[in-house]
Structure formats: C-alpha cells, structure tokens
Amino acid sequence: MPAYLRWTGKGIKRTDLALELDPTEKGMLSYTLGQAMCQVFAEHLLSVRFFMHVSRYADTYGLTFPPGQSRADFFGPRYSGTWVVAEAKGRSGRLDKETRQAMEAQKRTVKTVSGQVPEISYASAVDFPSKGGAMRLTAIDPEEAEPGAVDLPVNLDQFALAYYTPFLDAFAHQQPQLLGDYVVVGFESVRVTLGLLAPVLQRIERAVHLEDTSGLYGDVTRLLDRYTTRFTRETTTLYADGTLFAADWNHRPDLLRRESPQPEAEQMQRLHEFYRMVDVQDDPSRDEWMREEDWNWRSLSLATGALPGIFPPVDVTE
C-alpha cells in the first residue's frame, strides 16, 4: 500500500504512482479502499466489534439471495447488540452527483438480521475530490427497505465461528508461536504477522473439535471483555475483536531479500510484556476456561525471532 497511498497531516493521499495507474488498476485500488474504509467507519464510529462480509457467512451456511439484486457487503453486531449492515463503494475520482443521489435514493437490501431490523444500514463511498487531495468517505443511511429486501437468519454462535475460521486456516499452514497472550504467525514473503488472542483461539478450536458451537459467541465476547482491558493504549497492531495484524511494507524491494535482524533477549521480553493483556499475578483464574480436551496454547514455543511489523519496529506513519 505505501506504493499507492501516503499519510499526511491532512489525511490519506494517493502517490504519483497511484495517479498513473490505468483505469482497471485504479478501479481495483478504489474497490479495496472502499471495502477497507467501510469497515474502519463501522468499528470506530458505529462501535461494531465483529464486521464480516455477508458472502463469508452465506457461503459457510448456505444462504442464498435473489438473482440480479443488489445486496449488502458487510454486517455485524454492535456492542449494544443491535445490527449494522453496510454496502461499500469506491471511486478513483470525485463522487459525482448522480452516484450520491443514487446512494440517497437506494433502499435497504436487508430487512432483518436474526429477526431484528438493523439499527443502521448504510452505504459508504470513498473518493478523492481532487487529483492531489485527501481521501474522503461519505456514508448515507437509507430509511426504507426495498420490496425484495431479505431476512438473514443468522445464528450468533455460527457467526463467531465463520468470523474466526480464516485464522484457523492461517495457523494450519505455518507453525504458530506465542507472543504475550497472542498466538501469532509471521509470513516473511508478504511481510505480515497475523495473530489472535490465545484464549479466544482456544475456545474456537474447542468448538471445531467438538463440532459444537453452543455458547460460542457469548464465551468469545466475555473473553474479549476480560482480555482487552489494556486495549485502550496506543497501538496500531491490536484490534477489538482480539486479532493482531502487523505489516512491514516500508522496505525497498532489494531489502526484502535480506534476512531480518534478530531481537535481543531483553527486547523480546519487553515485546511479550506489551502483548500480554492480563497480568499473571492479577489473574488467578487464567485457567477457568480450560477443559481437559482443550488444545493447550501454553505449550507453544515463545516467539524469539523477527516478526514482520512487530520486530524490527515499523513507523506506520512513514
């Protein structure tokens, strides 16, 4: 992304390379930004902890939609328990009057989620008002549902499993390590580190192993409430859903082929302390969620080497 976007004190702007892309490439960049900023908006302004693509849940549990009908891209529950549904759009240029009018005129495509009318159902669009200007997001919440609006029969426990399954897939392809209270894997080829709070991963693993999702959503939210008590500190790698994402995309291509420096023992100890969400001495009930048949995440090897985006440290504002 640094090849196409740069952060300034006045927002996110496109680089010269991004401005020189052909129309198809600009469309792909705009689509990606539209999807990403729709989720950022939901998390930071609408207090949505779990925001998932509709197709992910639909594909997992066999939901179908009427052919040829526009449908929402994302949905998820707010902390309050109500639902948010969103459709994301991206524009490589300025958001024109016709598109904005279409957004204002469009009707809700999802009538209910798990029997509840969504509290908020918005369409968002990312655009660049001027060639060298900062990115802008416009969000509009239509009031009426269209005649063909669908009902999403969502089960919260199945929702939680579908939401976290990609992390199980990631951990299955590479040996995970323990970093504080997070299970992490580093992918050097793409300079990315993925992670998930270990107690949450353990609960997900149990649901898969026993083929029983009963109580999964409630257990996960309680674990997150317990283990993210330090989450308010300044960090760009940890998220409210218990996930960790770090990237080191500031390297030049020739440097990507070089071996990353290894941290000293003292540096690694500080990293483990930083990513520990609950102090051991303040948490006598750390084992309360453990069952005899559970996968024991404490048996994992402690991370001791380089992890892209975490060590060596990266200035994400560069």
Side-chain angles (χ1 to χ4, degrees):
M1 294 305 285
Y4 303 118
L5 301 173
R6 58 189 176 89
W7 170 259
T8 70
K10 297 182 179 180
I12 297 174
K13 297 184 178 182
R14 291 173 292 181
T15 64
D16 291 340
L17 178 60
L19 295 173
E20 295 171 1
L21 295 173
D22 65 38
T24 300
E25 293 170 327
K26 284 183 179 179
M28 292 176 62
L29 178 61
S30 299
Y31 171 82
T32 302
L33 287 175
Q35 298 273 302
M37 296 311 298
C38 181
Q39 297 185 66
V40 170
F41 180 84
E43 179 181 343
H44 289 275
L45 277 79
L46 303 180
S47 301
V48 178
R49 177 185 271 170
F50 309 103
F51 209 47
M52 182 165 58
H53 205 285
V54 170
S55 64
R56 167 145 200 86
Y57 189 89
D59 292 346
T60 302
Y61 297 109
L63 299 185
T64 58
F65 299 88
Q69 179 180 302
S70 175
R71 75 179 194 189
D73 293 307
F74 299 97
F75 75 123
R78 306 181 76 187
Y79 282 87
S80 62
T82 59
W83 289 89
V84 170
V85 176
E87 183 176 343
K89 302 177 185 294
R91 292 291 182 272
S92 55
R94 185 182 184 88
L95 183 65
D96 56 63
K97 182 179 179 180
E98 290 75 17
T99 303
R100 183 181 179 91
Q101 288 176 340
M103 291 172 63
E104 292 173 346
Q106 78 175 36
K107 301 182 184 297
R108 297 185 176 206
T109 59
V110 174
K111 184 164 57 177
T112 63
V113 180
S114 195
Q116 300 179 36
V117 176
E119 181 180 12
I120 299 173
S121 183
Y122 68 95
S124 68
V126 165
D127 74 322
F128 293 87
S130 62
K131 185 175 181 180
M135 182 176 67
R136 176 180 65 180
L137 183 138
T138 301
I140 296 174
D141 183 2
E143 296 182 0
E144 299 179 14
E146 65 180 30
V150 299
D151 298 300
L152 295 183
V154 175
N155 176 288
L156 278 173
D157 295 327
Q158 293 177 341
F159 177 94
L161 182 60
Y163 186 88
Y164 288 107
T165 295
F167 286 86
L168 301 183
D169 296 340
F171 297 148
H173 286 85
Q174 191 156 325
Q175 180 60 39
Q177 297 176 297
L178 196 60
L179 178 67
D181 281 329
Y182 285 81
V183 176
V184 298
V185 290
F187 298 92
E188 280 287 342
S189 60
V190 291
R191 305 295 299 172
V192 162
T193 297
L194 293 178
L196 181 60
L197 263 173
V200 172
L201 176 59
Q202 181 185 57
R203 182 62 182 89
I204 300 296
E205 289 271 9
R206 182 195 304 165
V208 173
H209 175 69
L210 298 179
E211 298 183 350
D212 180 9
T213 60
S214 301
L216 181 61
Y217 182 84
D219 287 349
V220 167
T221 54
R222 282 190 289 273
L223 284 167
L224 290 174
D225 290 342
R226 181 180 185 83
Y227 278 84
T228 56
T229 53
R230 290 177 166 183
F231 182 69
T232 54
R233 65 186 169 197
E234 290 296 320
T235 176
T236 58
T237 58
L238 303 180
Y239 297 87
D241 58 1
T243 61
L244 176 154
F245 177 85
D248 182 2
W249 293 329
N250 290 329
H251 288 273
R252 299 195 312 269
D254 60 313
L255 292 180
L256 290 178
R257 294 189 293 269
R258 300 183 184 180
E259 186 175 346
S260 298
Q262 299 300 304
E264 301 290 339
E266 185 177 342
Q267 292 174 308
M268 208 65 226
Q269 182 178 354
R270 287 199 298 269
L271 280 175
H272 281 289
E273 291 174 355
F274 181 84
Y275 288 101
R276 184 167 291 116
M277 294 293 101
V278 179
D279 291 325
V280 176
Q281 59 269 29
D282 296 334
D283 187 23
S285 56
R286 256 178 176 258
D287 294 324
E288 67 178 287
W289 296 94
M290 292 279 289
R291 293 184 182 176
E292 185 176 350
E293 70 273 12
D294 282 350
W295 164 70
N296 184 9
W297 55 270
R298 291 193 184 87
S299 64
L300 292 175
S301 301
L302 294 178
T304 58
L307 290 169
I310 294 178
F311 189 90
V314 174
D315 182 359
V316 296
T317 63
E318 287 183 359

